[in-house]
């Protein structure tokens, strides 16, 4: 998993409430046996003019030239609600999104983000709106910096905003460890347990 | 201290307690299927990770594979062939056991895992499929997981799991002839609601359970997930031991005796306490069937579509009205007046040899009613071979049933083959959700015997009318 320490980038405001995972990646866009190849389908219902088509909707934020290369999303409350599909996070990640700043997140989605190297930043709605206004002046110049180690977001005017994140999630993201990585840190304990289990219940290890 | 069966299974596999009530649990076996397995395997290898113990990972082709005679990799599910072929390739690369499309042992994962002795009392087994709880019937700790968790389990032989609460459901009395495990579980869910088991690991116990054979116990535990339980377990007994003896992956040599000693300790100790306990008297129970769009919308076949319970809230009223409308039924309508378009016997719930025998007992010497499309899909190649050896296939086909290749088949609608628009189906499967078996399909869940009786009658019917030799 990609580490998240300090990231500076273009932030795109998508200030809607309850952006659900069906909107992030419609099911018809999950066509491959893979976590990859999903970025084309990201926000397909909003991003393209017709179902299944690829003609960009001119005014959708990620299609606007001033937001080219956006790597941070600014959004409204309850971002990522709905279906648990991890494809939503895989699509965002492949598109290049590294962080999402919103007042709150769908619980499963938030966990999926943390397991896939995307930082969910929780800030008050007024603060998110203020950052969006600053960004809109000149998105390519007015970039946002997020420092996970110090749990701070630096807005384009240089103001610092502190955010909270669970200790284990912070560790996972800072060190680029997914849950598998974290568990592999306990390999010694696993191996020790395994030896004990093998001695007591050898038939479980017959094959 | 007196421990519950679940407590024994849990503590025997708990490597460490982590923060926030999570535990690191050792996983003995992982089972995959072609719908989610290939994604997990490919993702693991693209992350540069290996399957830690490939010998203990198994994969079957069941969800997408075609069940029409003469099948190959081609299937009616859109993009299905790609899922089948990539699962095959990824399985070979990872070195895991694969039960391929027309393999001698291919079948539905929750049918073949017990059949081959892969699941055993006292082992932990996970699969990215919600009905993995079926396998708790053999005294294993088995539960359904997500795709990422499958990767985690394969890479580390562990999962991080929050410990569920414990519930015991005691089934008392004696089942009347024609009443099966399927009727027990539908009755339980109807009585306590589809969310009744939420947050619990459930132990099924009582004299009714002891009298059930292993296959019936699998049916019962299969639907624990429709009760929202984390999983279900049943204490292993002599029937479990007899069932497993000689199966390919069952313990062998000296290990068999050692395993037996351990298995015999796997029961809830007298005095063990559960967070919740439920008692059900089964003596008066009749065959059950669902009338609505949730497994909790179930009642006795002899009954009527129920009225909305007095005191139900606004949300319940809206849900029930929606269910009446969707299913095309009215409160007070006798269930046996509902004409069906189709009958389906199959799925991980009810496609085992005992299920097929029960259906065949009803079908023998009779014909499916005109206009009813009837399909039987054995749960595994082993079940199919056994059924054919017993001549059950002839009984099904002579009655007018299609006789298919093993797989999940039309238990769910994956975009390919399905029943027709708004068709009413008597089905031995596990979910009667909107659109589950086809566009706006109307599924009535029931036992294989009840489905067979309904196929003959052309409407929902009581299997006892046929089993007792009453006129067809």
């Amino acid at each position: 998993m990609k580490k998240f320490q300090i990231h500076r980038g273009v932030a795109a405001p998508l200030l809607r409430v309850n952006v659900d995972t069906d909107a992030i990646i419609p099911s018809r866009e999950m066509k491959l046996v893979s976590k990859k190849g999903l970025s084309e389908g990201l926000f397909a219902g909003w991003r393209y003019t017709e179902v299944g088509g690829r003609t960009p909707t001119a005014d959708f934020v990620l299609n606007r030239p001033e937001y080219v290369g956006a790597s941070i999303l600014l959004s409204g409350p309850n971002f990522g609600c709905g279906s648990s599909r991890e494809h939503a996070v895989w699509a965002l990640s492949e598109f290049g999104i590294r962080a999402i700043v919103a007042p709150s997140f769908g619980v499963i989605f938030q966990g999926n983000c943390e397991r896939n190297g995307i930082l969910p930043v929780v800030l008050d709605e007024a603060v998110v709106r203020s950052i969006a206004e600053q960004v809109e002046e000149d998105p390519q110049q007015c970039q946002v910096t997020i420092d996970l180690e110090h749990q701070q977001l630096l807005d384009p005017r240089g103001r610092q905003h502190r955010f909270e994140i669970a200790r284990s999630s912070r560790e996972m993201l800072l060190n680029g460890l997914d849950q598998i990585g974290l568990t592999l840190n306990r390999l010694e304990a696993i191996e020790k347990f395994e030896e004990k289990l093998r001695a007591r219940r050898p038939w479980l290890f017959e094959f | 201290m007196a421990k519950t069966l679940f407590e024994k299974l849990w503590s025997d596999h708990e490597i460490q307690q982590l923060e926030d009530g999570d535990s690191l649990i050792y996983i003995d076996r992982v089972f995959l299927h072609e719908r989610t397995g290939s994604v997990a395997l490919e993702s693991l290898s693209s992350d540069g990770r290996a399957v830690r113990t490939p010998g203990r990972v198994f994969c079957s082709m069941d969800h997408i594979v075609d069940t029409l005679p003469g099948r190959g990799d081609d299937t009616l599910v859109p993009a299905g062939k790609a899922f089948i072929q990539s699962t095959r390739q990824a399985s070979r690369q990872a070195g895991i056991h694969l039960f391929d499309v027309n393999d001698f042992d291919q079948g539905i994962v929750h049918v073949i895992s017990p059949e081959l002795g892969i699941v055993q009392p006292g082992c932990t087994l996970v699969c990215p499929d919600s009905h993995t709880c079926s396998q708790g019937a053999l005294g294993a700790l088995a539960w359904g997981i997500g795709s990422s968790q499958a990767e985690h389990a394969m890479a580390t032989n562990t999962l991080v799991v929050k410990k569920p609460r414990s519930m015991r459901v005691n089934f008392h009395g004696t089942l009347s002839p024609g009443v099966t495990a399927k009727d027990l579980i539908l009755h339980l869910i109807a009585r306590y609601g589809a969310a009744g088991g939420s947050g619990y690991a459930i132990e099924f116990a009582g004299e009714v359970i002891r009298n059930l054979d292993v296959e019936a116990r699998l049916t019962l535990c299969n639907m624990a997930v429709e009760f929202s339980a984390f999983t279900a377990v049943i204490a292993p007994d002599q029937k479990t031991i007899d069932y497993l003896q000689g199966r390919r992956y069952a313990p062998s040599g000296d290990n068999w005796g050692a395993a037996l000693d351990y298995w015999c300790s796997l029961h809830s100790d007298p005095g063990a306490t559960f967070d919740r306990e439920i008692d059900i008297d089964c003596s008066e129970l009749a065959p059950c069937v669902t009338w609505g769009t949730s497994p909790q919308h179930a009642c006795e076949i002899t009954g009527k579509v129920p009225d909305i319970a007095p005191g139900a809230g606004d949300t319940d009223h809206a849900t029930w009205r929606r269910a009446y409308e969707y299913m095309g039924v009215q409160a007070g309508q006798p269930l046996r007046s509902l004409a069906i378009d189709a009958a389906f016997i199959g799925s991980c719930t009810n496609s085992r040899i005992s299920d097929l025998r029960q259906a065949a007992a009803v079908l023998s010497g009779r014909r499916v009613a005109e206009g009813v499309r009837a399909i039987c899909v054995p749960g595994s190649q082993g079940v199919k071979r056994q059924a054919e050896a017993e001549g059950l296939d002839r009984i099904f086909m002579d009655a007018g049933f299609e006789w298919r290749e093993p797989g999940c088949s039309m238990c769910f609608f994956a975009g390919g083959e399905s029943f027709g628009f708004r068709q009413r189906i008597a089905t031995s499967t596990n979910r009667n959700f909107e659109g589950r078996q086809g566009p706006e399909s109307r599924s009535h869940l029931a036992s294989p015997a009840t489905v067979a009786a309904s196929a003959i009658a052309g409407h929902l019917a009581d299997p006892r009318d046929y089993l007792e030799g009453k006129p067809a």
Side-chain angles (χ1 to χ4, degrees):
Chain A
M1 189 176 92
K2 224 168 170 177
K3 285 182 188 180
F4 193 107
Q5 290 163 339
I6 293 181
H7 176 77
R8 180 177 166 81
V10 173
L14 185 65
L15 297 184
R16 304 184 196 194
V17 181
N18 300 324
V19 174
D20 60 63
T21 54
D22 272 72
I24 298 171
I25 182 101
S27 63
R28 63 176 182 274
E29 297 289 347
M30 299 186 271
K31 296 168 188 160
L32 299 171
V33 190
S34 176
K35 295 178 179 179
K36 303 206 169 81
L38 292 160
S39 65
E40 264 215 17
L42 181 70
F43 294 120
W46 296 342
R47 198 168 146 204
Y48 307 118
T49 54
E50 59 200 10
V51 170
R54 288 291 182 259
T55 310
T57 311
D59 60 352
F60 181 65
V61 65
L62 296 177
N63 291 337
R64 287 161 55 186
E66 62 268 37
Y67 290 102
V68 161
S71 56
I72 299 168
L73 276 184
L74 307 170
S75 194
N78 204 24
F79 188 90
C81 59
S83 160
S84 66
R85 61 183 67 163
E86 217 163 305
H87 297 75
V89 173
W90 298 333
L92 285 162
S93 174
E94 192 177 71
F95 185 82
I97 300 298
R98 300 291 340 262
I100 302 160
V101 184
S104 60
F105 291 91
V107 176
I108 301 170
F109 176 85
Q110 190 166 2
N112 285 342
C113 279
E114 292 161 355
R115 273 195 288 275
N116 286 278
I118 294 182
L119 174 65
V121 178
V122 178
L123 287 177
D124 283 349
E125 201 166 351
V127 175
V128 180
R129 214 177 305 124
S130 152
I131 299 168
E133 282 164 12
Q134 296 172 44
V135 162
E136 280 164 355
E137 289 172 16
D138 183 352
Q140 294 295 330
Q141 293 305 313
C142 301
Q143 297 197 356
V144 170
T145 305
I146 304 170
D147 177 351
L148 177 56
E149 178 151 23
H150 299 97
Q151 295 177 226
Q152 274 176 346
L153 180 147
L154 193 70
D155 72 20
R157 291 201 187 122
R159 268 188 303 241
Q160 291 178 344
H161 306 275
R162 176 160 177 96
F163 59 87
E164 297 303 321
I165 183 164
R167 202 182 57 179
S168 57
S169 304
R170 182 172 166 272
E171 298 283 297
M172 203 151 75
L173 283 159
L174 276 176
N175 298 310
L177 295 168
D178 54 14
Q179 203 170 32
I180 296 176
L182 281 179
T183 300
L184 287 174
N185 284 347
R186 304 177 192 275
L187 199 57
E188 207 178 318
I190 295 170
E191 283 172 350
K192 230 188 223 165
F193 181 90
E194 198 166 51
E195 279 321 300
K196 217 174 61 187
L197 190 66
R198 188 192 292 272
R200 290 167 62 204
R201 324 245 184 271
W203 59 89
L204 290 175
F205 297 80
E206 271 188 15
F207 47 87
Chain B
M1 207 184 98
K3 287 168 102 178
T4 67
L5 167 58
F6 170 72
E7 188 64 47
K8 291 178 186 178
L9 298 173
W10 186 267
S11 58
D12 266 8
H13 285 85
E14 187 178 58
I15 301 167
Q16 286 175 340
Q17 286 181 9
L18 310 173
E19 296 169 343
D20 310 325
D22 286 343
S23 292
L24 187 65
I25 296 292
Y26 191 82
I27 304 299
D28 297 313
R29 281 128 179 66
V30 179
F31 225 121
L32 305 172
H33 57 72
E34 81 277 29
R35 182 53 122 181
T36 51
S38 50
V39 184
L41 284 170
E42 285 185 6
S43 159
L44 204 60
S45 77
S46 72
D47 286 349
R49 292 197 164 111
V51 178
R52 191 164 177 268
T53 55
R56 286 184 268 147
V57 180
F58 301 80
C59 180
S60 188
M61 304 281 197
D62 57 8
H63 274 63
I64 293 172
V65 69
D66 208 278
T67 57
L68 291 164
R71 71 177 175 196
D73 290 355
D74 285 319
T75 173
L76 293 164
V77 175
K81 189 175 181 177
F83 279 82
I84 290 168
Q85 296 186 337
S86 66
T87 298
R88 178 178 299 131
Q89 197 188 350
S91 297
R92 283 182 184 156
Q93 239 155 28
I96 65 169
H97 301 266
L98 174 68
F99 304 106
D100 210 336
V101 177
N102 286 317
D103 190 281
F104 188 80
D105 291 316
Q106 175 269 343
I108 304 174
V109 2
H110 315 305
V111 175
I112 63 173
S113 177
E115 194 176 81
L116 298 173
I118 292 166
V119 66
Q120 298 165 8
C123 82
T124 47
L125 181 148
V126 293
C127 171
D129 185 281
S130 61
H131 292 103
T132 309
C133 52
S134 313
Q135 305 187 41
L138 280 91
L141 192 56
W143 71 96
I145 55 172
S147 180
S148 289
Q149 286 179 301
E151 285 181 48
H152 190 285
M154 286 193 283
T156 69
N157 282 97
T158 70
L159 276 180
V160 176
V161 199
K162 196 168 288 301
K163 190 176 181 181
R165 290 174 292 168
S166 64
M167 182 195 293
R168 181 158 61 185
V169 181
N170 303 296
F171 291 101
H172 302 288
T174 311
L175 291 184
S176 312
V179 181
T180 67
K182 183 64 161 288
D183 304 305
L184 281 182
I185 190 68
L186 286 174
H187 177 73
L188 175 71
I189 298 170
R191 191 155 148 194
Y192 291 93
S198 183
Y200 289 101
I202 296 178
E203 179 175 350
F204 290 124
E207 60 267 31
V208 171
I209 302 303
R210 286 197 293 278
N211 288 330
L212 289 179
D213 62 37
V214 171
E215 294 196 350
R217 294 175 188 178
L218 285 158
T219 298
L220 187 69
C221 291
N222 174 270
M223 288 189 64
V225 69
E226 313 308 333
F227 194 43
S228 298
F230 170 76
T231 191
V233 290
I234 291 176
D237 58 8
Q238 192 58 44
K239 285 181 182 173
T240 322
I241 293 165
D242 294 343
Y243 176 90
L244 282 171
Q245 188 155 28
R247 302 215 179 234
R248 190 194 315 162
Y249 292 96
S252 57
D254 291 346
N255 277 340
W256 175 255
L260 287 197
D261 288 344
Y262 173 59
W263 295 353
C264 290
S265 74
L266 293 175
H267 52 77
S268 289
D269 297 326
T273 55
F274 293 80
D275 294 308
R276 188 169 180 206
E277 214 154 348
I278 286 175
D279 290 275
I280 294 183
D281 179 11
C282 304
S283 301
E284 303 293 314
L285 194 66
C288 291
V289 65
T290 60
W291 59 265
T293 51
S294 159
Q296 77 177 35
H297 294 151
C299 57
E300 300 193 337
I301 182 68
T302 46
K304 296 169 177 168
V305 176
D307 277 313
I308 303 173
D314 288 347
T315 312
D316 290 323
H317 270 275
T319 308
W320 278 54
R321 276 198 300 270
R322 165 85 196 159
Y324 290 148
E325 193 190 333
Y326 181 89
M327 292 297 289
V329 300
Q330 289 170 333
Q333 189 173 12
L335 283 160
R336 284 175 292 184
S337 72
L338 293 170
I340 61 165
D341 303 294
F344 182 82
I345 293 174
S347 85
C348 57
T349 314
N350 279 124
S351 63
R352 299 180 179 83
I353 189 66
S354 55
D355 298 316
L356 270 43
R357 285 178 189 145
Q358 283 166 24
V362 172
L363 294 174
S364 184
R366 297 188 169 97
R367 286 281 307 168
V368 167
E370 201 165 323
V372 172
R373 185 183 182 197
I375 299 173
C376 178
V377 186
S380 70
Q381 301 282 355
V383 170
K384 183 167 182 261
R385 277 193 302 273
Q386 179 67 27
E388 288 172 355
E390 294 177 18
L392 303 184
D393 59 326
R394 290 281 14 133
I395 294 175
F396 275 97
M397 286 189 282
D398 288 349
F401 266 75
E402 294 174 36
W403 183 250
R404 295 274 191 115
E405 295 297 321
C408 299
S409 194
M410 288 156 83
C411 172
F412 55 86
F413 173 48
E417 192 182 17
S418 77
F419 293 104
F421 179 72
R422 280 197 192 161
Q423 283 200 335
R424 191 177 299 286
I425 309 142
T427 179
S428 76
T429 57
N430 41 53
R431 283 177 179 156
N432 52 344
F433 301 158
E434 292 187 14
R436 175 75 176 171
Q437 293 187 284
E440 295 193 31
S441 61
R442 293 165 168 171
S443 303
H444 295 271
L445 306 179
S447 73
T450 303
V451 173
S454 305
I456 293 160
H459 53 78
L460 295 182
D462 190 333
R464 295 172 299 185
D465 292 345
Y466 297 91
L467 292 169
E468 288 164 13
K470 290 183 184 170

